[in-house]
Amino acid sequence: MYDPYKLEHKTPTKKDYLDTTDFDQSEMLDMVKVSTTVRSYIKSGGTLETLYHKNLAMIFEQKSTRTRVSFEVAMEQLGGHALNLAPGAIQLGAHESIGDTAKVLDRMCELIMARVDRHESIVELAQNSTVPVINGMSDYNHPTQELGDIITIFDHLPKNKPLDQIKVVFVGDCTQVCASLMMITTKMGMDFVQYAPPAKWLNDDYLKIGRANTQAYGGSVRVSDNPEVLEGADFIYTDVWYGLYDKETPKEVYMREFYPKYQVNDEMLAATRNPEVKFMHCLPAMRGEEVTDSVLDGPNSIAWDQAENRLTAQRGLVLYFGGVAQTALDDIKRHKEDK
Ligand code: CP
């Protein structure tokens, strides 16, 4: 019997949230649970002060809208505070190493979140701090997006279809978002397919993680350039074709590789032969390139729910890695019983 107020793991087994591969399915489901229970409570007008007087340092080596705003709002809604340490605003990179920055933030803040250029940087931050470090995206993965995405998928699951029959197709480049989606959907025992030209398929290191998940939890993982893989998709997901980490390859090269075959448009949704297929995008989107307006703004799109669930996930993450997720759920339960 599902109990929305009871976690299997009252505290995290790892200090940091750098990679979902560090956590098993039951721990990820705990993070989903605290996120969704707190979401219901806050949406119904409830308030929480679980992180009163707690501070989250947010380091950004790159721009961000969703990650930055969602963490800042999450901390405020839980009684805490977030500091936006944008590029150029702190000594990091100019006069101070990432390790020394971590040691200083460690003495002043209870949590650190960082979006970094290189995955090694987030690992170094975590190694040099005693407080939890959350990976707000690296060139390897995007685990906070992962949690928000699996919450969105659970919110929009087709009725009466078991998880091992859910098909999630990522269309496009093997970005860190593609890799993260593969990691979390296979961890939940779903069927994951990347539909892309062979040169852009997920590499063997990533696929090894997916295969280990399918061994443990069921489901499947595949890469293909055959459009037949679209058939029967429950979720179609895409991301931009160029830009974030590969600043050298010109846009025209990416356009030649992906356009028009891999653009998510009405024809591609029709090729799924599932009128209820849901469209997802981590955003920001390049309208008219990887996705058309008619799909992003159309009836099958859940991209805006997905964006909102970044906030749902961040509340869960700061509570869980702050070590107070069960406390928050106990408080919510008490409030409900007192009503
Ligand atoms: N999806 C995502 O991470 O958005 P931002 O880059 O705006 O944070």
Side-chain angles (χ1 to χ4, degrees), residues 9 48 122 133 143 153 187 193 252 256 290 331:
H9 311 269
L48 282 173
I122 195 85
V133 173
I153 289 173
K187 183 150 283 177
V193 186
E252 297 71 45
R256 265 201 306 278
E290 78 276 5
D331 284 348

Side-chain angles (χ1 to χ4, degrees), residues 1-13:
M1 175 81 174
Y2 181 79
D3 181 347
Y5 306 109
K6 194 166 183 294
L7 297 177
E8 198 166 315
H9 311 269
K10 289 196 170 31
T11 50
T13 54

Side-chain angles (χ1 to χ4, degrees), residues 63-68 115 142 145 282-284 310:
K63 288 179 194 161
S64 164
T65 299
R66 280 143 288 269
T67 308
R68 185 219 155 152
R115 169 169 290 191
H142 197 352
Q145 181 80 49
C282 55
L283 304 174
R310 298 299 307 283

